Amino acid sequence: MTAEFAYPRRVEFAETDAFGIVHFASMFCYMEEAEHSLWHAAGLTLAGRHGPHGWPRVSATFSFRNPLHYPDDFIVQVRLEASGRSSLRYAFDVVRGDTLIGTGTMITVCVRRDSGTMIPVEVPPGVMEKLRAVLDRDGS
Amino acid sequence: MTAEFAYPRRVEFAETDAFGIVHFASMFCYMEEAEHSLWHAAGLTLAGRHGPHGWPRVSATFSFRNPLHYPDDFIVQVRLEASGRSSLRYAFDVVRGDTLIGTGTMITVCVRRDSGTMIPVEVPPGVMEKLRAVLDRDGS
Amino acid sequence: MTAEFAYPRRVEFAETDAFGIVHFASMFCYMEEAEHSLWHAAGLTLAGRHGPHGWPRVSATFSFRNPLHYPDDFIVQVRLEASGRSSLRYAFDVVRGDTLIGTGTMITVCVRRDSGTMIPVEVPPGVMEKLRAVLDRDGS
Amino acid sequence: MTAEFAYPRRVEFAETDAFGIVHFASMFCYMEEAEHSLWHAAGLTLAGRHGPHGWPRVSATFSFRNPLHYPDDFIVQVRLEASGRSSLRYAFDVVRGDTLIGTGTMITVCVRRDSGTMIPVEVPPGVMEKLRAVLDRDGS
């Protein structure tokens, strides 16, 4: 059984490009949306206006296997691959039915917003537990 | 003679859509870029991180005459049509050579950022003079 | 009773800007998404890959009353205000609960994609009937 | 001496997010713009409307070291790291003055557009020579 969260989405027309496919940069937005949807399902807010923390991205990757088109329905599957003292590493599969569109990764780090810096701080207590609870519940 | 400012730009591939043309929402980004370029030419910063003011958009319009394609070179011509106590109204022509791509308008209003509200405040002194100096210098 | 269609949406983080609000150009994407969602509900595809027609935007407007923030839930209400031989005119209200975020309009025109031009053609038979059936059914 | 091409750019306001920094997905657009600018400097068009080839992205990565803000001026440095029979691998450094914003990679593959598929074909003759001529000329 894989602990994962499924984020369903439809391609919007604005996300396509003149090759007639989804522009590759949109994949990074899809991964971020899936991450935020996971947090929301866990009762957490990743980037609230008044919260003390921010979660800037440290790195992101995506590898394509097949193109997406408008108006495809697809799913972004999120897994939490690793967690450090101040960072989280996610893995993503983007699928349309049985077709793998591609796979990606993203590392985010927790910082204090009021400090005006990007110095990592510890992941707030409870965050990992709440995320894992959703991933375990929804996994297959 | 028209007091106006010319912002030259090339279409980027990410701005196109699956019809093979520039997605219409990009025109609103082009108009905003031209506005910001005008402010920059006037030695002003519209949306600096630490400045006291913000300039949210109150309204925006665009009417198309012809499509833009990748990798067209085009120009956004900016005019300052009107100014109120706390707002500015711009007009824009987007042209590619002799071809009119379309025309637009945008109204922005000055607010204090630290107030956390969108209550309009007076346009800071000197802004209009500096903008008009560039528009008069560059107009044709 | 108003014949209209409701498109529910959540603000995504990528749609915000450094003022902490949804960037104004995203409103035009929201209106387009709502239009496409209406077409989808009517069993129609506005911009399919292999269809003979395209629907470029002729004009679009939006006026703000209040800002949207991440991660607000909001609704785009779509109405079909007028239809010509080859064009449709939509009106939109964007609302978050009882708060009006703003109002917009969009005019689209039907063209033949294979012609390589933007010459308007007649709205294909059945389109208006199917759109109106959804708008009448979902209106309030 | 490094064979590389420098693409200068200013951050546009629409590219920021509510954390007050450039949204991470924009980095992928910046890398693509730099790639296209290199092709343009070489007298080549990567994604012309009527050309026989397309260059979809196979993979892309970016790792952040420091955030970018509006309205920072920055440079995207492009290198051609490797080339296969049908693919190109680029490496990118994004810098603001002496500050490294981050590094990225992108692999693109040549396909025939008229085939309606994503089957790789050989890189057209002359492309590598023209790209390398620019990279050697502009390198430092």
Side-chain angles (χ1 to χ4, degrees):
Chain A
M1 171 170 158
T2 306
E4 72 183 14
F5 176 76
Y7 172 67
R9 181 69 149 73
R10 180 172 297 154
V11 171
E12 299 297 344
F13 190 68
E15 295 155 2
T16 60
D17 65 29
F19 281 150
I21 63 178
V22 170
H23 189 261
F24 84 110
S26 294
M27 291 294 159
F28 295 91
C29 293
Y30 295 163
M31 291 194 290
E32 185 181 57
E33 288 183 20
E35 171 205 21
H36 285 222
S37 185
L38 164 63
W39 279 61
H40 190 81
L44 297 165
T45 299
L46 183 61
R49 272 201 287 164
H50 306 298
H53 297 104
W55 287 89
R57 279 78 251 274
V58 172
S59 71
T61 71
F62 196 80
S63 296
F64 278 91
R65 295 291 291 274
N66 287 287
L68 265 181
H69 297 94
Y70 175 86
D72 288 350
D73 285 299
F74 64 96
I75 292 173
V76 183
Q77 297 164 337
V78 192
R79 295 181 304 283
L80 193 50
E81 285 214 321
S83 56
R85 202 187 63 90
S86 58
S87 67
L88 302 179
R89 178 187 162 91
Y90 303 93
F92 304 87
D93 291 341
V94 178
V95 298
R96 182 192 54 220
D98 292 337
T99 302
L100 179 62
I101 302 303
T103 58
T105 62
M106 200 158 62
I107 299 175
T108 66
V109 64
C110 188
V111 302
R112 283 200 67 86
R113 297 184 73 181
D114 51 12
S115 69
T117 70
M118 288 284 171
I119 298 174
V121 298
E122 216 164 315
V123 175
V127 166
M128 290 304 303
E129 293 71 13
K130 289 176 183 169
L131 294 178
R132 291 209 181 281
V134 172
L135 291 162
D136 289 340
R137 184 192 69 202
D138 290 10
S140 56
Chain B
M1 170 170 158
T2 306
E4 73 184 13
F5 177 76
Y7 172 66
R9 181 69 149 74
R10 180 172 297 154
V11 171
E12 299 298 344
F13 190 68
E15 295 155 2
T16 59
D17 64 30
F19 282 150
I21 63 179
V22 170
H23 189 261
F24 83 110
S26 294
M27 291 294 160
F28 295 91
C29 293
Y30 294 163
M31 290 194 290
E32 184 180 58
E33 288 182 22
E35 171 205 20
H36 285 222
S37 185
L38 164 63
W39 279 59
H40 189 81
L44 297 165
T45 300
L46 184 60
R49 272 201 287 164
H50 307 297
H53 297 106
W55 287 88
R57 278 79 251 273
V58 173
S59 72
T61 69
F62 196 80
S63 296
F64 277 91
R65 295 292 292 275
N66 287 287
L68 265 181
H69 298 94
Y70 174 85
D72 288 350
D73 284 299
F74 63 97
I75 292 173
V76 183
Q77 296 165 337
V78 193
R79 295 182 303 283
L80 194 49
E81 284 214 321
S83 57
R85 201 187 62 91
S86 58
S87 68
L88 302 180
R89 178 186 163 91
Y90 302 92
F92 303 87
D93 292 339
V94 179
V95 298
R96 181 191 54 221
D98 292 337
T99 303
L100 178 63
I101 301 304
T103 58
T105 62
M106 201 159 61
I107 299 176
T108 67
V109 63
C110 188
V111 302
R112 284 199 66 85
R113 298 183 72 179
D114 51 14
S115 69
T117 69
M118 288 284 171
I119 299 175
V121 298
E122 213 163 318
V123 175
V127 166
M128 290 305 302
E129 291 72 12
K130 288 176 183 169
L131 294 178
R132 291 207 182 282
V134 172
L135 292 162
D136 288 342
R137 183 193 68 202
D138 290 10
S140 55
Chain C
M1 170 167 159
T2 306
E4 72 183 14
F5 176 76
Y7 172 67
R9 179 73 148 75
R10 179 171 298 153
V11 171
E12 299 297 345
F13 190 69
E15 295 154 2
T16 59
D17 64 30
F19 282 150
I21 63 178
V22 169
H23 189 261
F24 83 110
S26 294
M27 291 293 159
F28 295 91
C29 294
Y30 295 163
M31 291 195 289
E32 184 180 57
E33 288 183 22
E35 171 204 21
H36 284 221
S37 185
L38 164 63
W39 279 61
H40 189 81
L44 297 165
T45 299
L46 184 61
R49 272 201 288 163
H50 307 297
H53 297 105
W55 287 87
R57 277 79 250 273
V58 173
S59 71
T61 70
F62 195 80
S63 296
F64 278 91
R65 294 291 291 276
N66 286 289
L68 265 180
H69 298 94
Y70 174 85
D72 287 351
D73 284 299
F74 64 95
I75 292 174
V76 184
Q77 298 165 335
V78 192
R79 296 181 303 281
L80 194 49
E81 284 215 320
S83 57
R85 203 187 62 90
S86 57
S87 67
L88 301 180
R89 178 186 162 91
Y90 302 93
F92 303 87
D93 291 341
V94 178
V95 297
R96 180 191 56 220
D98 291 338
T99 302
L100 178 63
I101 302 303
T103 58
T105 62
M106 201 159 62
I107 300 176
T108 67
V109 64
C110 187
V111 302
R112 283 199 66 85
R113 297 184 72 180
D114 52 12
S115 69
T117 69
M118 287 284 170
I119 299 174
V121 298
E122 215 163 316
V123 175
V127 165
M128 291 303 303
E129 291 73 9
K130 289 176 182 168
L131 294 178
R132 291 207 182 280
V134 172
L135 291 162
D136 288 341
R137 184 192 69 201
D138 291 11
S140 56
Chain D
M1 170 169 158
T2 306
E4 72 183 14
F5 177 76
Y7 172 67
R9 180 72 148 74
R10 180 172 296 156
V11 171
E12 299 297 344
F13 190 68
E15 295 155 2
T16 59
D17 64 31
F19 281 150
I21 63 178
V22 170
H23 189 261
F24 83 111
S26 294
M27 290 294 159
F28 295 91
C29 293
Y30 295 163
M31 290 194 290
E32 185 179 58
E33 289 183 22
E35 172 204 19
H36 284 221
S37 185
L38 164 64
W39 280 60
H40 189 81
L44 297 165
T45 300
L46 184 61
R49 274 201 286 163
H50 307 297
H53 297 105
W55 287 88
R57 276 81 251 271
V58 172
S59 71
T61 70
F62 196 80
S63 296
F64 278 91
R65 295 291 292 274
N66 287 288
L68 265 181
H69 298 93
Y70 174 84
D72 286 350
D73 284 299
F74 64 97
I75 292 173
V76 183
Q77 296 165 337
V78 192
R79 296 182 302 281
L80 194 50
E81 285 214 321
S83 57
R85 203 187 61 92
S86 57
S87 67
L88 302 180
R89 178 185 163 91
Y90 302 93
F92 303 87
D93 291 340
V94 178
V95 298
R96 180 191 55 220
D98 291 337
T99 303
L100 178 62
I101 302 303
T103 59
T105 63
M106 200 160 61
I107 300 176
T108 66
V109 64
C110 188
V111 302
R112 284 199 66 86
R113 298 184 71 179
D114 51 13
S115 69
T117 69
M118 287 285 170
I119 298 174
V121 299
E122 215 163 317
V123 174
V127 165
M128 290 304 303
E129 292 73 9
K130 288 176 183 169
L131 294 178
R132 290 208 182 281
V134 172
L135 291 162
D136 289 340
R137 183 194 68 201
D138 290 10
S140 55

